Amino acid sequence: MKTFILTVEQPQGARRRHSIAECQRLGLEPVFVSGCTKTSAEVASAYSRMLNRLLLKRDMTAGEIACYIGHRRLWQAFVDSGEEIALICEDDFQSVDDAQFSDVLEQAADIPDWGILKLFDFSPKEIIRRHQYGSFDVVDYKYPAAGAVAYLLRREAALRMLDRKSIFRPVDEDFLYCWEFGTRVRSIYPNPVAECAESFGGSLLEEDRASLKKRKSMRRSLWGIFLTMHKQLRASFYRKRLF
């Protein structure tokens, strides 16, 4: 299985060296894909402020937009490879259970009904359905959880997500709205992968996010309540169709 890793670092950067060491230990052959920096002109051209104001309860930071552009580059590299399934990682991924991690990769093609199979979830919600596969469970949460540090991706799902040209939500939040892409997001439980950004000085996105929260308006917050209710309703219909 090809492994595509997003990075904005030079070959000798700490995150990149960490990724290489992880892949060597896990028997993976990484393909590094250069991401986008938040100062790139592509950030402004890819971002739809109108759709963001309409469909998300807060503005996106330049770093979040750049991160999404990076994931789109990963998806395109995967599609161009001709493979049917790939492992997609950010450069701060870390296996927490090597045996389980390898087991997931070996069985992934035989697991039914997924377009995105997440290996890391941040603060997941209630599990509403699960199936056991040896050392791990494949679960459906009430809503897909945040986090995009590592996930398996099918070619069809990548093509559908690449059809969306404008960016208006963070990439992992778009996973929450998987019905918009006509794909299914499932997760591995327990997480076989962790995010180790703290080892490299912390998340590249959190500082800008914290600054953005201070500028949040009351009007936007009230609109956010409506968007949350709408998401819950759409998610309920989506689950009924699946189950």
Side-chain angles (χ1 to χ4, degrees):
M1 184 182 296
K2 285 190 178 294
T3 302
F4 296 89
I5 299 179
L6 178 64
T7 188
V8 294
E9 289 196 332
Q10 297 299 315
Q12 295 305 312
R15 288 170 178 257
R16 188 155 176 163
R17 287 187 284 108
H18 159 79
S19 298
I20 292 172
E22 278 294 290
C23 288
Q24 289 175 341
R25 192 168 56 79
L26 296 165
L28 303 173
E29 296 185 8
V31 176
F32 285 95
V33 176
S34 295
C36 176
T37 65
K38 64 183 182 181
T39 57
S40 170
E42 191 176 352
V43 167
S45 62
Y47 184 49
S48 172
R49 189 172 297 278
M50 180 184 71
L51 289 175
N52 169 264
R53 291 290 176 90
L54 183 64
L55 298 173
L56 190 68
K57 60 185 178 182
R58 63 174 181 83
D59 292 338
M60 288 181 68
T61 68
E64 288 174 327
I65 301 166
C67 180
Y68 203 135
I69 292 171
H71 278 265
R72 290 180 60 85
R73 291 179 181 178
L74 290 169
W75 304 340
Q76 189 63 61
F78 160 42
V79 168
D80 292 345
S81 75
E83 299 292 322
E84 290 300 319
I85 298 175
L87 174 62
I88 306 294
C89 298
E90 296 174 349
D91 60 8
D92 56 354
F93 86 100
Q94 183 174 42
S95 168
V96 295
D97 187 329
D98 293 357
Q100 181 192 3
F101 184 94
S102 297
D103 198 15
V104 170
L105 297 193
E106 288 174 5
Q107 297 194 57
D110 297 323
I111 298 171
D113 302 327
W114 62 272
I116 299 171
L117 190 58
K118 297 185 66 184
L119 307 185
F120 170 77
D121 287 304
F122 180 76
S123 298
K125 305 299 183 182
E126 172 191 359
I127 295 174
I128 59 174
R129 192 177 180 94
R130 72 166 72 210
H131 294 91
Q132 186 173 5
Y133 290 85
S135 65
F136 62 90
D137 290 350
V138 176
V139 303
D140 294 283
Y141 291 112
K142 186 174 182 180
Y143 309 107
V149 70
Y151 53 95
L152 295 172
L153 183 63
R154 290 192 186 273
R155 179 183 180 85
E156 181 181 3
L159 288 169
R160 290 185 177 187
M161 292 191 295
L162 285 167
D163 278 342
R164 175 173 286 175
K165 304 307 179 185
S166 297
I167 292 171
F168 51 89
R169 295 188 193 107
V171 60
D172 56 343
E173 288 197 42
D174 247 359
F175 290 173
L176 272 66
Y177 294 81
C178 51
W179 54 83
E180 295 180 354
F181 301 105
T183 195
R184 185 174 178 182
V185 177
R186 309 186 77 187
S187 293
I188 301 299
Y189 181 88
N191 290 343
V193 169
E195 181 184 62
C196 61
E198 292 302 320
S199 301
F200 308 106
S203 169
L204 298 175
L205 303 178
E206 283 306 317
E207 184 177 346
D208 289 346
R209 283 174 175 164
S211 176
L212 189 65
K213 287 179 181 178
K214 296 177 182 179
R215 304 196 302 269
K216 195 171 182 180
S217 70
M218 179 62 71
R219 180 182 298 178
R220 197 75 183 270
S221 297
L222 291 173
W223 181 242
I225 295 172
F226 168 79
L227 291 176
T228 297
M229 294 172 60
H230 182 258
K231 180 189 72 175
Q232 291 172 347
L233 183 62
R234 289 291 306 274
S236 177
F237 286 136
Y238 170 72
R239 290 194 300 271
K240 287 179 180 179
R241 290 201 308 271
L242 286 178
F243 311 138

